[in-house]
Amino acid sequence: MEKTWRWFGPSDKITLEMLRQIGVEGIVTALHQYAPGELWPEADIRALQDYIAAAGLRWSVVESLPVSEEIKYAGPRRDALIETYKQSLENLGRCGIHTICYNFMPVLDWARTDLEHPMPDGTTALYFDLVRFAYFDIKILQREGAEKDFPQEVVEKVEALDRTITDAEKEQLVDALIVKTQGFVNGPLGDGDGSPVARFRALMEPYKGIDKAQLRENLRYFLEAIMPVCRQWDMRMCVHPDDPPMQIFGLPRIVCSADDIRWMLSAVDDFHNGVTFCAGSLSAGAHNDVEAMAREFAPRTHFVHLRTCSLLPGGNFVEAPHTNGRVDLVELVRIFEREGRDLPMRVDHGRTMLGDEKRGYNAGYSFHGRMLALGQVSGMMAAVQNEFKKQ
Ligand code: DNO
């Protein structure tokens, strides 16, 4: 696998020079200055590519070329937006960038309730607390019928929490769920007017009446429309799984399980329609046997995100150290190294540690925490490569 790193562009506090020193080979980034739906001009792609090359690295993966909400819910501008998307793909292809991560999650990209959950060793990790999540849905968003989506005991705990929660904690929850985790991922919540909660409600509106089957059809429509360009320019599309892999806020989600991935790969059965194997997102669902999924989907995997969660009682989960969560990452390294194709891999998130907390990094994207994880995964890769040599 190729060791890659998500880097947020020339203003990222983590410089390309730092990344070279820690063994990074390829860069994962995006033209963050463009909103979803805007064309990525070839000149801008080349400028960033040259900037990266000047530091002795290469731009390996785009994460993400965002799919506009109107493509996801099939709004009136869908076809025009798809045309722009195709043009951006072609521009990337002309520059020799062929791996494109995107997601098809309505409105909300990934979700966490606590971005600074203290761990016993003094680091902090990203955390998901089901009761707090339900609190946001039921009490803050006040979504109609939200109570019905949670077990009775969770709803009772939400009522109990309502008697003790402070305004600061409520703010922190909103911030974690729909501000800080969304601001840098080029999602629809990134900017705009009004309070984030009001904006979130408005963004959910067009999805009324769109169920899982309809969203699947909209994904199929999008993929069929872009496949000719993908084949022509060898563009490897890789959908990012839903994180966490379950229905949330009454919005359909369609990349949560092995069945979902099987469906989307066979709906458009083309090598260029593939997956980002995000082991961490998939591992947050107890229903997912992540190692079996890696074995099954490796041939259509174009990009690997390595991390793992620990599942906790009550539907909660925490992002675990790379060496001991519920997924055996050594086995995943074996599977993807065996697949060959020098698949780009990034360690995804890391702990916040050793001063990371003072640097204002994007949530999950610390320097020391990710560097530690990359060191661990590099060790796994070296051991697996030795294993293969001895076979
Ligand atoms: C969070 C990430 C996601 C992911 C996008 C891809 O850290 O896993 O934001 O990059 O969903 O489109």
Side-chain angles (χ1 to χ4, degrees), residues 7 11 15 21 37 63 126 144 157 174 182 184 222 224 232 254 266 315 373 376:
W7 173 78
S11 60
T15 64
Q21 291 195 20
E63 180 172 355
L126 301 175
E144 213 185 302
K157 285 185 182 153
V174 171
Q182 307 304 307
F184 64 93
F222 166 69
E224 275 173 355
Q232 186 182 352
I254 53 171
S266 61
Q376 291 168 327

Side-chain angles (χ1 to χ4, degrees), residues 23-94:
V24 169
E25 298 158 339
I27 292 300
V28 176
T29 192
L31 293 186
H32 287 283
Q33 66 270 36
Y34 291 107
E38 287 181 337
L39 179 73
W40 286 17
E42 192 180 328
D44 290 3
I45 299 167
R46 280 203 198 277
L48 188 58
Q49 191 179 33
D50 290 347
Y51 183 93
I52 294 169
L57 292 163
R58 60 178 167 263
W59 183 356
S60 301
V61 179
V62 171
E63 180 172 355
S64 297
L65 182 57
V67 176
S68 310
E69 294 300 297
E70 276 205 59
I71 295 178
K72 295 178 191 167
Y73 64 74
R77 293 190 310 143
R78 158 164 78 165
D79 290 330
L81 287 162
I82 291 179
E83 281 313 308
T84 306
Y85 200 95
K86 283 160 65 180
Q87 189 59 54
S88 296
L89 284 178
E90 181 174 330
N91 292 349
L92 286 159
R94 283 182 195 282

Side-chain angles (χ1 to χ4, degrees), residues 160-223:
L161 178 61
D162 197 36
R163 292 190 283 274
T164 58
I165 193 167
T166 63
D167 284 345
E169 280 178 291
K170 287 186 205 171
E171 248 172 65
Q172 173 273 327
L173 191 55
V174 171
D175 218 37
L177 273 167
I178 62 172
V179 181
K180 285 201 180 122
T181 42
Q182 307 304 307
F184 64 93
V185 293
N186 282 63
L189 272 154
D191 41 33
D193 302 325
S195 83
V197 176
R199 218 156 66 226
F200 189 58
R201 275 196 204 107
L203 285 163
M204 286 171 64
E205 203 53 36
Y207 287 93
K208 288 228 165 88
I210 297 195
D211 60 6
K212 185 166 174 171
Q214 186 59 53
L215 191 65
R216 276 183 166 182
E217 278 318 307
N218 297 350
L219 174 61
R220 186 213 298 266
Y221 184 94
F222 166 69
L223 288 170

Side-chain angles (χ1 to χ4, degrees), residues 218-272:
N218 297 350
L219 174 61
R220 186 213 298 266
Y221 184 94
F222 166 69
L223 288 170
E224 275 173 355
I226 64 168
M227 272 306 120
V229 174
C230 294
R231 280 193 287 268
Q232 186 182 352
W233 292 96
D234 189 23
M235 304 308 286
R236 295 155 187 220
M237 297 299 296
C238 32
V239 74
H240 190 284
D242 304 329
D243 182 4
M246 61 190 198
Q247 311 299 299
I248 55 174
F249 302 127
L251 296 165
R253 309 245 270 182
I254 53 171
V255 195
C256 296
S257 65
D259 272 352
D260 284 347
I261 296 177
R262 244 171 247 137
W263 179 86
M264 62 103 26
L265 293 180
S266 61
V268 178
D269 194 8
D270 190 305
F271 179 70
H272 299 92

Side-chain angles (χ1 to χ4, degrees), residues 6 63-64 101-103 105 109-110 185 240 349 365:
R6 192 177 194 178
E63 180 172 355
S64 297
C101 174
Y102 71 100
N103 75 73
M105 293 178 243
D109 198 299
W110 60 313
V185 293
H240 190 284
H349 312 149
Y365 291 91

